[in-house]
Amino acid sequence: MPLKKLVAGNWKMHGVSSDIAEIQEIAAAAKDYSDIDVALCVPAILIERAARAVPGFSIGGQDVHHAEKGAHTGCTSAAMLHDAGASLTIVGHSERREAQRESDEEVKAKAEAALAVGLQVILCVGESLELREKGDAVPVVTEQLDGSLPAVESPAGLAIAYEPIWAIGTGKIPTVAEIAEMHETIRSRLRQRYGEAGGGVRILYGGSVKASNAAEIFAIRDVDGALVGGASLKAADFIPIVAAASGR
Ligand code: PGA
């Protein structure tokens, strides 16, 4: 049985009050695709307004602090995201791993903190172009995954996003064979770690997903959805990707 696909938008540092109308348009159009889980991960400060504007639609954060509370100026805890109306969060996005030097250990702690309050988690992994060209993509992503996976008995609520760094925002995407190889590797690690339940963890592909390439990507085995950046900002770009996930 294929897993129900998840198509999540990552708005990154985009979105102010006037964009709530776009979120409403996306949420309204997503209702036609009940076979697909659709979500938007918006800036933390927009979560509460977005969640109020689209009841029943999944709004998420893009990062979370690993601590429950404390002296962490400028940070947002998992309980705060949840309280604001988020039902999920991204952790370990490469833009944070790079700019904020987040380690695998920190990403793991973030995932655990988010799952503990009932948020779903999209945990990102992915290799640089240099590592891909050296032929090291699979071992490097495997190591990243092993170090970042939350130590939980059940991985319910967890999804992995494979996002090659060189494919993010560049218009370049790996070949079908490269995506298939990586997703198969991730699936086997998930089964090793979580047993049978590892088969139920969704593995998303992310990096330059657009309406024009989505159907081809979703047809690959073990691709259970997508994490979409630039093409998630407008309903006109995002909804055709949801439609492709639904096979329409
Ligand atoms: P992109 O970003 O779709 O703009 O390449 C994806 C991501 O960073 O999650």
Side-chain angles (χ1 to χ4, degrees):
M1 259 286 278
L3 303 177
K4 186 176 186 186
K5 286 190 170 54
L6 167 63
V7 179
N10 174 9
W11 272 30
K12 308 192 179 182
M13 202 167 73
H14 300 280
V16 292
S17 304
S18 54
D19 296 302
I20 295 288
E22 197 70 37
I23 295 174
Q24 286 173 315
E25 200 177 324
I26 288 170
K31 286 198 180 134
D32 289 342
Y33 302 93
S34 56
D35 55 328
I36 305 297
D37 286 331
V38 184
L40 283 180
C41 297
V42 300
I45 199 163
L46 207 59
I47 290 173
E48 183 155 7
R49 274 169 291 164
R52 280 186 202 282
V54 289
F57 180 81
S58 296
I59 294 291
Q62 301 171 4
D63 177 50
V64 67
H65 197 275
H66 61 79
E68 258 178 59
K69 57 174 124 171
H72 303 288
T73 304
C75 299
T76 309
S77 73
M80 290 171 186
L81 286 186
H82 191 264
D83 181 56
S87 54
L88 74 156
T89 187
I90 298 170
V91 298
H93 191 280
S94 61
E95 285 155 16
R96 294 199 58 87
R97 286 182 183 266
E98 280 188 344
Q100 269 73 37
R101 299 194 184 180
E102 287 185 6
S103 63
D104 292 342
E105 202 181 332
E106 192 172 348
V107 172
K108 171 176 182 271
K110 286 175 180 226
E112 288 167 358
L115 290 170
V117 302
L119 292 172
Q120 292 179 51
V121 167
I122 299 177
L123 191 166
C124 304
V125 291
E127 81 284 358
S128 64
L129 185 58
E130 196 192 345
L131 290 166
R132 169 61 68 185
E133 284 175 346
K134 278 212 307 217
D136 288 342
V138 170
V140 164
V141 170
T142 303
E143 198 187 318
Q144 212 180 32
L145 183 74
D146 288 348
S148 308
L149 283 177
V152 285
E153 244 167 64
S154 155
L158 177 68
I160 305 300
Y162 166 54
E163 297 207 307
I165 298 169
W166 51 275
I168 295 175
T170 58
K172 291 185 203 149
I173 60 164
T175 62
V176 165
E178 285 168 340
I179 296 175
E181 180 189 35
M182 194 64 84
H183 280 237
E184 197 186 317
T185 304
I186 293 172
R187 176 65 68 215
S188 95
R189 299 308 285 191
L190 289 169
R191 281 191 200 279
Q192 276 177 36
R193 176 65 79 95
Y194 300 116
E196 188 78 348
V201 175
R202 291 185 282 202
I203 308 172
L204 318 184
Y205 168 79
S208 295
V209 176
K210 300 187 203 65
S212 56
N213 58 24
E216 191 183 19
I217 293 169
F218 290 134
I220 302 170
R221 210 180 141 176
D222 279 321
V223 172
D224 310 307
L227 183 56
V228 184
S232 71
L233 294 171
K234 297 276 173 231
D237 296 324
F238 190 51
I239 293 302
I241 297 174
V242 177
S246 173
R248 295 192 228 168

